[in-house]
């Protein structure tokens, strides 16, 4: 059946699919109310075949969202079988164990009909600033404290919105208009993708996406297996110590490469903790596989086929496979460290091909408080993202203040200040925070924020790499550890809800990335370059290099 679709037509259809899912993502960014989606791109958008297999994803988005959604669509199909779906239906959940790992990520999946039959599915997953409960922080002791749980439900039936669900949402959140507007933007995004996909199928004479999907997934699977088969077979282990909430946490991984597959086993990893930094299996798999794929098959499109050769296991009840009703609101402070753990294994299997460790965990500044307006007290709840330095890369320095592995953007300072009564007094690169090496780690940054009118406010701190900085590789030096403090000098905890006193400010030093290779090699190369350019004499350069 596939033989009648020549490679050129398949390439055209593949390119069209990428354009469709990217238009989905851009629709989200243009219609969402939350700055997390509108400005930061904390989202994912993808298209699936009728079996729920992810065929294509948008370039804009995060691994935690899209790779979790790749696992999650099958749950929608189990609850709502394809034969029960109707045009205009939209389905929703924020169940952490089914999709993206915490209640703040809402997933909406919608059927695409062509010629009166189900042709495909489209989906998006986006970060909600507010979902009720304690707010996004690590202080909850169970999922029941962390916000509103939305099971697998119909958000719309044949084009009619589920007004009861929307009313329940509005009643349970601090920012009802924003949350409702965001949820409606998810529908707009999926409808945009459905319309474009339907047009493509008609243009190319396809009844469903399944035929072209089979071809794309087979090609992606074959390319990924070829990349893995070029690697040495073997077993390698690594471990990573994190700050934790009130005690260090050790993550352990064993990587096995054999027979065109890569298997990761997190046996020996510490158990789940009674605070909201636990990770569910979907999110664990999402970031572990992302780290492996970055090194092994970075050019293969990310879809069901490309993900299939990666197998991930973690013990039930461990911090990487937490079970209900464990708290998980700040799961990213552990989950986003998994690529560094994977790089630790790969650096032994593939010397010279992996970066050093980076700051990795996103430093979100989640603030809330109240200020006196003209007629009443006005409450606010806002967030803006900050990133430290990434680890030095083979042949290149690390990236400064860059969100790796999450990939989200920093919100403009002006947008944050316009939306909440806060002033960001400083947001600047932190000099010398990157670890030295033949290639230097990326720089972290210094962020200082206070109330516009000097009022006190709260910060939901969820920061990592304060006690355990990014480690250098192959002789490279560690990156600078992060710090959390008041402008007046008093230290703050790296995790947990805390109040910034009136007249004071919150100061963050976001960690630097680690160096790669011996710093002396870089010094020698710099001296040789200076000698070539005539800035120092060859004799002086030789003498300095011998020092």
């Amino acid at each position: 059946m596939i033989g009648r679709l020549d490679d050129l037509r398949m390439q055209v259809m593949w390119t069209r699919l990428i354009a469709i899912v990217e238009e989905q993502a851009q629709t989200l960014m243009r219609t969402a109310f939350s700055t997390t989606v509108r400005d930061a791109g904390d989202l994912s958008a993808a298209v699936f075949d009728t079996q729920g297999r992810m065929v294509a994803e948008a370039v804009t988005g995060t691994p935690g969202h899209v790779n979790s959604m790749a696992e999650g669509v099958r749950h929608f199909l189990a609850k709502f079988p394809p034969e029960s779906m109707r045009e205009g239906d939209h389905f929703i959940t924020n169940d952490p164990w089914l999709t993206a790992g915490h209640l703040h990520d809402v997933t909406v999946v919608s059927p695409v009909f062509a010629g009166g039959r189900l042709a495909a599915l489209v989906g998006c997953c986006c970060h909600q600033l507010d979902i009720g409960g304690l707010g996004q922080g690590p202080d909850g002791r169970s999922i029941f404290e962390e916000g509103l749980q939305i099971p697998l439900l119909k958000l719309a039936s044949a084009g009619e919105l589920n007004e009861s669900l929307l009313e329940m949402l509005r009643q349970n959140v601090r920012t009802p208009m924003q949350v409702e507007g965001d949820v409606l933007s998810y529908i707009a995004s999926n409808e945009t993708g459905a319309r474009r996909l339907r047009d493509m199928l008609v243009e190319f004479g396809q009844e469903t996406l399944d035929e072209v999907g089979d071809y794309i997934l087979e090609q992606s699977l074959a390319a990924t297996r070829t990349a893995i088969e070029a690697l040495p077979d073997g077993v390698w282990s690594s471990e990573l110590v994190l700050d934790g909430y009130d005690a260090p946490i050790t993550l352990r991984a064993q990587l096995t490469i054999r027979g065109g597959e890569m298997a990761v086993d997190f046996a020996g990893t510490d158990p789940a903790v009674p605070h909201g930094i636990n990770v569910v299996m979907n999110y664990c798999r999402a970031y572990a596989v992302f780290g492996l794929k970055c090194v092994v098959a970075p050019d293969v499109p990310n879809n069901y086929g490309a993900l299939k050769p990666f197998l991930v296991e973690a013990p039930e009840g461990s911090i990487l496979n937490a079970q209900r009703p464990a708290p998980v609101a700040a799961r990213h402070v552990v989950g986003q460290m998994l690529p560094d753990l994977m790089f630790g294994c790969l650096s032994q299997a593939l010397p010279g091909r992996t970066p050093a460790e980076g700051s990795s965990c996103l430093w979100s500044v989640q603030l809330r408080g109240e200020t006196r307006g003209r007629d009443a007290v006005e409450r606010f709840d806002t967030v803006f993202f900050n990133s430290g330095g990434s680890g030095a890369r083979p042949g290149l320095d690390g990236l400064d203040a860059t969100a790796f592995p999450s990939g989200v953007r920093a919100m403009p300072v002006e947008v944050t200040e316009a939306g909440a009564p806060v002033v960001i007094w400083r947001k600047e690169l932190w000099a010398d925070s990157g670890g030295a090496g033949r290639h230097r780690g990326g720089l972290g940054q210094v962020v200082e924020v206070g109330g516009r009118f000097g009022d006190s406010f709260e910060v939901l701190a969820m920061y990592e790499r304060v006690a355990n900085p990014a480690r250098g590789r192959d002789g490279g030096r560690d990156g600078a550890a992060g710090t959390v403090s008041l402008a007046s000098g008093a230290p703050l905890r790296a995790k947990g809800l805390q109040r910034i006193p009136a007249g004071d400010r919150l100061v963050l030093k976001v960690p630097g990335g680690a160096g790669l290779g011996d710093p002396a090699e870089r010094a020698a190369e710099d001296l040789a370059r200076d000698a070539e350019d005539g800035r120092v004499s060859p004799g002086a350069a030789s003498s300095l290099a011998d020092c």
Side-chain angles (χ1 to χ4, degrees):
M1 187 182 294
I2 293 300
R4 63 187 178 84
L5 296 174
D6 58 60
D7 288 342
L8 180 59
R9 288 183 71 231
M10 293 303 299
Q11 182 62 46
V12 171
M13 294 175 75
W14 165 249
T15 305
R16 183 76 65 83
L17 280 176
I18 293 299
I20 288 169
V21 290
E22 187 59 30
E23 187 173 352
Q24 279 180 251
Q26 294 302 317
T27 300
L28 282 169
M29 296 184 72
R30 284 163 172 75
T31 59
F33 283 43
S34 297
T35 58
T36 50
V37 176
R38 190 183 70 216
D39 296 293
D42 196 1
L43 60 90
S44 67
V47 61
F48 305 80
D49 65 14
T50 59
Q51 299 175 56
R53 301 179 302 174
M54 187 172 74
V55 177
E57 63 164 2
V59 174
T60 302
T62 76
H65 284 151
V66 73
N67 284 359
S68 294
M69 191 165 61
E71 292 287 327
V73 170
R74 60 189 174 90
H75 299 296
F76 285 86
L77 291 175
K79 179 69 178 290
F80 305 102
E83 59 271 17
S84 71
M85 295 181 178
R86 300 292 179 267
E87 193 160 1
D89 285 352
H90 299 278
F91 309 99
I92 187 171
T93 190
N94 70 343
D95 187 326
W97 283 268
L98 301 184
T99 51
H102 68 170
L103 297 176
H104 289 263
D105 285 339
V106 178
T107 300
V108 173
V109 173
S110 310
V112 180
F113 284 84
R117 63 181 293 184
L118 181 67
L121 298 159
V122 290
C124 63
C125 179
C126 301
H127 182 88
Q128 269 294 337
L129 170 62
D130 178 27
I131 201 67
L134 292 174
Q136 192 192 352
D139 299 286
R141 295 305 186 103
S142 78
I143 191 70
F144 303 112
E145 300 177 32
E146 294 185 328
L148 179 66
Q149 298 184 60
I150 307 171
L152 288 162
L153 291 174
K154 274 193 173 183
L155 175 58
S157 297
E160 293 293 324
L161 287 171
N162 185 342
E163 295 291 352
S164 296
L165 173 58
L166 293 175
E167 184 176 0
M168 185 174 66
L169 273 172
R170 291 191 296 266
Q171 189 68 24
N172 282 275
V173 298
R174 301 171 182 85
T175 55
M177 184 178 71
Q178 177 177 286
V179 172
E180 182 177 15
D182 281 341
V183 169
L184 296 179
S185 78
Y186 307 160
I187 292 177
S189 169
N190 284 3
E191 288 184 343
T192 297
R195 184 169 61 253
R196 298 299 191 199
L197 182 56
R198 187 183 303 112
D199 290 345
M200 186 197 83
L201 294 174
V202 170
E203 179 180 342
F204 286 90
Q206 300 297 299
E207 293 182 345
T208 73
L209 185 64
D210 290 351
E211 189 173 356
V212 63
D214 285 343
Y215 180 88
I216 291 169
L217 300 184
E218 288 168 6
Q219 294 293 313
S220 300
L221 173 59
T224 304
R225 281 194 168 145
T226 297
I228 295 173
E229 287 167 354
L231 307 178
D233 285 353
V235 180
W236 297 270
S237 298
S238 183
E239 68 176 46
L240 183 62
V241 178
L242 306 181
D243 302 349
Y245 185 92
D246 49 16
I249 293 167
T250 300
L251 308 181
R252 295 181 175 87
Q254 179 177 280
L255 171 66
T256 302
I257 304 176
R258 187 169 291 114
E261 292 184 339
M262 301 184 79
V264 179
D265 189 346
F266 291 106
T269 288
D270 283 355
V273 298
H275 298 282
I277 58 173
N278 299 296
V279 179
V280 305
M281 194 64 221
N282 271 357
Y283 198 78
C284 168
R285 184 182 294 107
Y287 271 106
V289 172
F290 176 74
L292 295 172
K293 195 170 178 298
C294 279
V295 174
V296 174
D299 298 325
V300 179
N302 197 53
N303 54 40
Y304 175 87
L307 297 173
K308 191 173 182 180
F310 299 97
L311 311 175
V312 180
E313 293 184 356
E316 283 193 9
S318 70
I319 198 168
L320 296 179
N321 189 4
Q323 303 297 298
R324 297 180 192 273
V328 293
R331 87 290 192 232
H332 68 284
V333 301
V334 172
Q336 289 177 0
M337 311 304 290
L338 291 175
D340 278 342
L341 185 58
M342 296 299 94
F343 295 158
C345 294
L346 287 171
S347 66
Q348 303 164 60
L350 306 170
R353 285 183 56 180
T354 56
E357 292 179 2
S359 76
S360 302
C361 165
L362 194 66
W363 278 45
S364 304
V365 179
Q366 184 103 19
L367 307 175
R368 67 186 180 202
E370 55 186 39
T371 187
R372 295 198 174 277
R374 292 182 179 179
D375 303 314
V377 172
E378 298 176 2
R379 293 176 174 80
F380 71 90
D381 197 329
T382 191
V383 66
F384 63 98
F385 296 149
N386 304 278
S387 301
S390 71
R393 300 161 289 171
L396 293 168
D397 288 346
L399 297 168
D400 300 333
T402 298
F404 180 86
S406 75
V408 300
R409 307 171 186 176
M411 294 86 154
V413 166
E414 296 82 0
V415 170
T416 301
E417 293 179 339
V422 299
V423 176
I424 300 173
W425 293 95
R426 279 197 294 167
K427 188 171 170 64
E428 61 194 32
L429 292 177
W430 181 11
D432 301 323
S433 57
R438 181 175 185 179
H439 302 291
R440 174 184 60 77
L443 300 180
Q445 57 180 308
V446 181
V447 180
E448 183 173 341
V449 58
R452 184 182 301 160
F453 306 108
D455 297 316
S456 68
F457 58 92
E458 294 177 329
V459 57
L460 288 83
M462 37 189 170
Y463 308 127
E464 188 54 53
R465 294 236 187 257
V466 172
N468 295 277
R471 297 175 296 183
R473 198 179 311 283
D474 299 336
R477 304 295 187 261
D478 293 351
T483 65
V484 187
S485 67
L486 296 174
S488 58
L492 295 173
R493 291 179 289 119
K495 294 182 180 71
L497 179 66
Q498 295 157 92
R499 179 165 288 278
I500 309 303
D504 216 332
R505 300 172 185 168
L506 171 67
V507 179
L508 303 176
K509 287 190 172 180
V510 188
L516 181 65
D518 189 344
E521 296 180 15
R522 182 178 187 131
E525 290 170 356
D526 289 345
L527 285 170
R529 192 178 303 110
D530 287 345
E532 277 184 27
D533 295 342
R535 287 193 287 268
V536 297
S537 69
S542 177
S543 298
L544 288 169
D546 292 337
C547 292

